PDB file of all heavy atoms in Angstrom:
ATOM      1  N   GLN N 844       0.819  -1.215  -0.018  1.00  0.00           N
ATOM      2  CA  GLN N 844       0.039  -0.044   0.020  1.00  0.00           C
ATOM      3  C   GLN N 844       0.838   1.264  -0.019  1.00  0.00           C
ATOM      4  O   GLN N 844       0.307   2.376  -0.095  1.00  0.00           O
ATOM      5  CB  GLN N 844      -0.899   0.016   1.212  1.00  0.00           C
ATOM      6  CG  GLN N 844      -2.018  -0.998   1.242  1.00  0.00           C
ATOM      7  CD  GLN N 844      -2.881  -0.905   2.485  1.00  0.00           C
ATOM      8  OE1 GLN N 844      -2.384  -0.734   3.578  1.00  0.00           O
ATOM      9  NE2 GLN N 844      -4.193  -0.958   2.313  1.00  0.00           N
ATOM     10  N   GLY N 845       2.152   1.149   0.030  1.00  0.00           N
ATOM     11  CA  GLY N 845       2.992   2.337   0.185  1.00  0.00           C
ATOM     12  C   GLY N 845       2.801   3.401  -0.827  1.00  0.00           C
ATOM     13  O   GLY N 845       2.641   4.588  -0.509  1.00  0.00           O
ATOM     14  N   ASP N 846       2.742   3.032  -2.099  1.00  0.00           N
ATOM     15  CA  ASP N 846       2.601   4.039  -3.132  1.00  0.00           C
ATOM     16  C   ASP N 846       1.244   4.701  -3.110  1.00  0.00           C
ATOM     17  O   ASP N 846       1.116   5.909  -3.280  1.00  0.00           O
ATOM     18  CB  ASP N 846       2.776   3.381  -4.533  1.00  0.00           C
ATOM     19  CG  ASP N 846       4.181   2.964  -4.819  1.00  0.00           C
ATOM     20  OD1 ASP N 846       5.134   3.431  -4.080  1.00  0.00           O
ATOM     21  OD2 ASP N 846       4.433   2.114  -5.729  1.00  0.00           O
ATOM     22  N   ASP N 847       0.203   3.970  -2.803  1.00  0.00           N
ATOM     23  CA  ASP N 847      -1.113   4.498  -2.646  1.00  0.00           C
ATOM     24  C   ASP N 847      -1.227   5.501  -1.472  1.00  0.00           C
ATOM     25  O   ASP N 847      -1.808   6.562  -1.660  1.00  0.00           O
ATOM     26  CB  ASP N 847      -2.189   3.442  -2.520  1.00  0.00           C
ATOM     27  CG  ASP N 847      -2.369   2.600  -3.777  1.00  0.00           C
ATOM     28  OD1 ASP N 847      -2.157   3.168  -4.906  1.00  0.00           O
ATOM     29  OD2 ASP N 847      -2.831   1.444  -3.632  1.00  0.00           O
ATOM     30  N   VAL N 848      -0.661   5.132  -0.358  1.00  0.00           N
ATOM     31  CA  VAL N 848      -0.696   6.027   0.822  1.00  0.00           C
ATOM     32  C   VAL N 848       0.100   7.258   0.541  1.00  0.00           C
ATOM     33  O   VAL N 848      -0.327   8.381   0.852  1.00  0.00           O
ATOM     34  CB  VAL N 848      -0.160   5.270   2.071  1.00  0.00           C
ATOM     35  CG1 VAL N 848      -0.043   6.174   3.226  1.00  0.00           C
ATOM     36  CG2 VAL N 848      -1.084   4.123   2.424  1.00  0.00           C
ATOM     37  N   ALA N 849       1.288   7.109  -0.097  1.00  0.00           N
ATOM     38  CA  ALA N 849       2.033   8.316  -0.409  1.00  0.00           C
ATOM     39  C   ALA N 849       1.309   9.230  -1.423  1.00  0.00           C
ATOM     40  O   ALA N 849       1.349  10.452  -1.360  1.00  0.00           O
ATOM     41  CB  ALA N 849       3.435   7.918  -0.976  1.00  0.00           C
ATOM     42  N   GLY N 850       0.563   8.598  -2.311  1.00  0.00           N
ATOM     43  CA  GLY N 850      -0.160   9.336  -3.307  1.00  0.00           C
ATOM     44  C   GLY N 850      -1.246  10.178  -2.674  1.00  0.00           C
ATOM     45  O   GLY N 850      -1.551  11.351  -2.984  1.00  0.00           O
ATOM     46  N   ILE N 851      -1.954   9.554  -1.639  1.00  0.00           N
ATOM     47  CA  ILE N 851      -2.967  10.341  -0.873  1.00  0.00           C
ATOM     48  C   ILE N 851      -2.264  11.476  -0.171  1.00  0.00           C
ATOM     49  O   ILE N 851      -2.864  12.631  -0.157  1.00  0.00           O
ATOM     50  CB  ILE N 851      -3.653   9.323   0.095  1.00  0.00           C
ATOM     51  CG1 ILE N 851      -4.498   8.332  -0.662  1.00  0.00           C
ATOM     52  CG2 ILE N 851      -4.497  10.125   1.107  1.00  0.00           C
ATOM     53  CD1 ILE N 851      -5.000   7.215   0.157  1.00  0.00           C
ATOM     54  N   ALA N 852      -1.135  11.281   0.467  1.00  0.00           N
ATOM     55  CA  ALA N 852      -0.441  12.319   1.195  1.00  0.00           C
ATOM     56  C   ALA N 852      -0.133  13.466   0.244  1.00  0.00           C
ATOM     57  O   ALA N 852      -0.369  14.602   0.606  1.00  0.00           O
ATOM     58  CB  ALA N 852       0.845  11.779   1.870  1.00  0.00           C
ATOM     59  N   ARG N 853       0.415  13.166  -0.879  1.00  0.00           N
ATOM     60  CA  ARG N 853       0.870  14.216  -1.830  1.00  0.00           C
ATOM     61  C   ARG N 853      -0.385  14.984  -2.292  1.00  0.00           C
ATOM     62  O   ARG N 853      -0.356  16.218  -2.517  1.00  0.00           O
ATOM     63  CB  ARG N 853       1.599  13.672  -3.026  1.00  0.00           C
ATOM     64  CG  ARG N 853       2.912  13.065  -2.595  1.00  0.00           C
ATOM     65  CD  ARG N 853       3.769  12.636  -3.848  1.00  0.00           C
ATOM     66  NE  ARG N 853       5.024  12.021  -3.390  1.00  0.00           N
ATOM     67  CZ  ARG N 853       5.230  10.714  -3.392  1.00  0.00           C
ATOM     68  NH1 ARG N 853       4.253   9.877  -3.758  1.00  0.00           N
ATOM     69  NH2 ARG N 853       6.411  10.234  -2.981  1.00  0.00           N
ATOM     70  N   GLY N 854      -1.495  14.258  -2.499  1.00  0.00           N
ATOM     71  CA  GLY N 854      -2.744  14.937  -2.899  1.00  0.00           C
ATOM     72  C   GLY N 854      -3.281  15.916  -1.931  1.00  0.00           C
ATOM     73  O   GLY N 854      -3.988  16.808  -2.290  1.00  0.00           O
ATOM     74  N   GLU N 855      -2.913  15.740  -0.727  1.00  0.00           N
ATOM     75  CA  GLU N 855      -3.302  16.693   0.387  1.00  0.00           C
ATOM     76  C   GLU N 855      -2.284  17.712   0.750  1.00  0.00           C
ATOM     77  O   GLU N 855      -2.315  18.458   1.686  1.00  0.00           O
ATOM     78  CB  GLU N 855      -3.617  15.860   1.668  1.00  0.00           C
ATOM     79  CG  GLU N 855      -4.894  14.988   1.554  1.00  0.00           C
ATOM     80  CD  GLU N 855      -6.152  15.794   1.454  1.00  0.00           C
ATOM     81  OE1 GLU N 855      -6.152  16.993   1.841  1.00  0.00           O
ATOM     82  OE2 GLU N 855      -7.213  15.251   1.068  1.00  0.00           O
ATOM     83  N   GLY N 856      -1.226  17.769  -0.148  1.00  0.00           N
ATOM     84  CA  GLY N 856      -0.190  18.770  -0.007  1.00  0.00           C
ATOM     85  C   GLY N 856       1.031  18.421   0.833  1.00  0.00           C
ATOM     86  O   GLY N 856       1.831  19.220   1.094  1.00  0.00           O
ATOM     87  N   TRP N 857       1.122  17.121   1.247  1.00  0.00           N
ATOM     88  CA  TRP N 857       2.330  16.685   1.956  1.00  0.00           C
ATOM     89  C   TRP N 857       3.319  16.296   0.974  1.00  0.00           C
ATOM     90  O   TRP N 857       3.190  15.401   0.160  1.00  0.00           O
ATOM     91  CB  TRP N 857       1.935  15.485   2.897  1.00  0.00           C
ATOM     92  CG  TRP N 857       0.813  15.743   3.935  1.00  0.00           C
ATOM     93  CD1 TRP N 857      -0.495  15.916   3.628  1.00  0.00           C
ATOM     94  CD2 TRP N 857       0.977  15.753   5.297  1.00  0.00           C
ATOM     95  NE1 TRP N 857      -1.150  16.148   4.760  1.00  0.00           N
ATOM     96  CE2 TRP N 857      -0.331  16.058   5.825  1.00  0.00           C
ATOM     97  CE3 TRP N 857       2.058  15.681   6.165  1.00  0.00           C
ATOM     98  CZ2 TRP N 857      -0.536  16.147   7.140  1.00  0.00           C
ATOM     99  CZ3 TRP N 857       1.867  15.789   7.533  1.00  0.00           C
ATOM    100  CH2 TRP N 857       0.594  16.039   8.067  1.00  0.00           C
ATOM    101  N   ALA N 858       4.502  16.942   1.048  1.00  0.00           N
ATOM    102  CA  ALA N 858       5.600  16.639   0.092  1.00  0.00           C
ATOM    103  C   ALA N 858       6.796  16.014   0.685  1.00  0.00           C
ATOM    104  O   ALA N 858       7.563  15.313  -0.007  1.00  0.00           O
ATOM    105  CB  ALA N 858       5.988  17.973  -0.582  1.00  0.00           C
ATOM    106  N   ASP N 859       7.108  16.182   1.986  1.00  0.00           N
ATOM    107  CA  ASP N 859       8.276  15.700   2.611  1.00  0.00           C
ATOM    108  C   ASP N 859       7.986  14.307   3.210  1.00  0.00           C
ATOM    109  O   ASP N 859       7.549  14.180   4.368  1.00  0.00           O
ATOM    110  CB  ASP N 859       8.704  16.672   3.670  1.00  0.00           C
ATOM    111  CG  ASP N 859      10.135  16.445   4.176  1.00  0.00           C
ATOM    112  OD1 ASP N 859      10.672  15.356   3.843  1.00  0.00           O
ATOM    113  OD2 ASP N 859      10.724  17.242   4.922  1.00  0.00           O
ATOM    114  N   LEU N 860       8.205  13.248   2.371  1.00  0.00           N
ATOM    115  CA  LEU N 860       7.755  11.935   2.793  1.00  0.00           C
ATOM    116  C   LEU N 860       8.926  11.010   2.823  1.00  0.00           C
ATOM    117  O   LEU N 860       9.956  11.119   2.071  1.00  0.00           O
ATOM    118  CB  LEU N 860       6.783  11.365   1.755  1.00  0.00           C
ATOM    119  CG  LEU N 860       5.575  12.239   1.396  1.00  0.00           C
ATOM    120  CD1 LEU N 860       4.712  11.509   0.385  1.00  0.00           C
ATOM    121  CD2 LEU N 860       4.709  12.496   2.667  1.00  0.00           C
ATOM    122  N   GLU N 861       8.879  10.036   3.803  1.00  0.00           N
ATOM    123  CA  GLU N 861      10.007   9.098   3.967  1.00  0.00           C
ATOM    124  C   GLU N 861       9.411   7.772   4.449  1.00  0.00           C
ATOM    125  O   GLU N 861       8.586   7.737   5.306  1.00  0.00           O
ATOM    126  CB  GLU N 861      10.955   9.674   5.014  1.00  0.00           C
ATOM    127  CG  GLU N 861      12.225   8.860   5.167  1.00  0.00           C
ATOM    128  CD  GLU N 861      13.185   9.578   6.140  1.00  0.00           C
ATOM    129  OE1 GLU N 861      12.883  10.661   6.596  1.00  0.00           O
ATOM    130  OE2 GLU N 861      14.222   8.972   6.447  1.00  0.00           O
ATOM    131  N   PHE N 862       9.899   6.652   3.847  1.00  0.00           N
ATOM    132  CA  PHE N 862       9.436   5.300   4.187  1.00  0.00           C
ATOM    133  C   PHE N 862      10.354   4.710   5.203  1.00  0.00           C
ATOM    134  O   PHE N 862      11.580   4.995   5.150  1.00  0.00           O
ATOM    135  CB  PHE N 862       9.371   4.452   2.961  1.00  0.00           C
ATOM    136  CG  PHE N 862       8.127   4.766   2.048  1.00  0.00           C
ATOM    137  CD1 PHE N 862       8.374   5.389   0.892  1.00  0.00           C
ATOM    138  CD2 PHE N 862       6.898   4.383   2.392  1.00  0.00           C
ATOM    139  CE1 PHE N 862       7.276   5.752   0.027  1.00  0.00           C
ATOM    140  CE2 PHE N 862       5.767   4.706   1.629  1.00  0.00           C
ATOM    141  CZ  PHE N 862       5.969   5.355   0.419  1.00  0.00           C
ATOM    142  N   ARG N 863       9.842   3.774   5.954  1.00  0.00           N
ATOM    143  CA  ARG N 863      10.589   2.874   6.825  1.00  0.00           C
ATOM    144  C   ARG N 863      10.102   1.475   6.666  1.00  0.00           C
ATOM    145  O   ARG N 863       8.937   1.239   6.475  1.00  0.00           O
ATOM    146  CB  ARG N 863      10.467   3.285   8.339  1.00  0.00           C
ATOM    147  CG  ARG N 863      11.149   4.532   8.732  1.00  0.00           C
ATOM    148  CD  ARG N 863      12.629   4.395   8.773  1.00  0.00           C
ATOM    149  NE  ARG N 863      13.322   5.558   9.338  1.00  0.00           N
ATOM    150  CZ  ARG N 863      13.561   6.666   8.651  1.00  0.00           C
ATOM    151  NH1 ARG N 863      13.298   6.726   7.348  1.00  0.00           N
ATOM    152  NH2 ARG N 863      14.169   7.690   9.239  1.00  0.00           N
ATOM    153  N   ALA N 864      11.021   0.462   6.717  1.00  0.00           N
ATOM    154  CA  ALA N 864      10.634  -0.941   6.528  1.00  0.00           C
ATOM    155  C   ALA N 864      10.495  -1.604   7.854  1.00  0.00           C
ATOM    156  O   ALA N 864      10.907  -1.167   8.893  1.00  0.00           O
ATOM    157  CB  ALA N 864      11.829  -1.589   5.717  1.00  0.00           C
ATOM    158  N   ASP N 865       9.746  -2.765   7.796  1.00  0.00           N
ATOM    159  CA  ASP N 865       9.540  -3.521   9.033  1.00  0.00           C
ATOM    160  C   ASP N 865      10.654  -4.559   9.176  1.00  0.00           C
ATOM    161  O   ASP N 865      11.652  -4.570   8.397  1.00  0.00           O
ATOM    162  CB  ASP N 865       8.111  -4.200   9.008  1.00  0.00           C
ATOM    163  CG  ASP N 865       7.960  -5.112   7.802  1.00  0.00           C
ATOM    164  OD1 ASP N 865       8.924  -5.634   7.231  1.00  0.00           O
ATOM    165  OD2 ASP N 865       6.784  -5.482   7.476  1.00  0.00           O
ATOM    166  N   LEU N 866      10.491  -5.514  10.047  1.00  0.00           N
ATOM    167  CA  LEU N 866      11.447  -6.549  10.343  1.00  0.00           C
ATOM    168  C   LEU N 866      11.746  -7.444   9.196  1.00  0.00           C
ATOM    169  O   LEU N 866      12.824  -8.094   9.076  1.00  0.00           O
ATOM    170  CB  LEU N 866      11.102  -7.355  11.605  1.00  0.00           C
ATOM    171  CG  LEU N 866      10.982  -6.491  12.854  1.00  0.00           C
ATOM    172  CD1 LEU N 866      10.469  -7.393  14.014  1.00  0.00           C
ATOM    173  CD2 LEU N 866      12.321  -5.866  13.273  1.00  0.00           C
ATOM    174  N   ASP N 867      10.760  -7.558   8.238  1.00  0.00           N
ATOM    175  CA  ASP N 867      10.916  -8.333   7.041  1.00  0.00           C
ATOM    176  C   ASP N 867      11.438  -7.550   5.936  1.00  0.00           C
ATOM    177  O   ASP N 867      11.319  -8.062   4.734  1.00  0.00           O
ATOM    178  CB  ASP N 867       9.649  -9.119   6.775  1.00  0.00           C
ATOM    179  CG  ASP N 867       9.228 -10.130   7.793  1.00  0.00           C
ATOM    180  OD1 ASP N 867      10.165 -10.741   8.275  1.00  0.00           O
ATOM    181  OD2 ASP N 867       8.048 -10.206   8.119  1.00  0.00           O
TER     182      ASP N 867
END
């Protein structure tokens, strides 16, 4: 879901985004 969630964020004006991975 990462790309979809980031797309929602950008659509609301959030530009400074960073991902983190889980234990896997």
Side-chain angles (χ1 to χ4, degrees):
Q844 291 180 317
D846 289 344
D847 289 333
V848 173
I851 291 169
R853 293 188 184 99
E855 292 290 342
W857 301 70
D859 194 350
L860 308 178
E861 189 176 353
F862 286 105
R863 289 286 188 276
D865 61 19
L866 297 174
D867 294 322

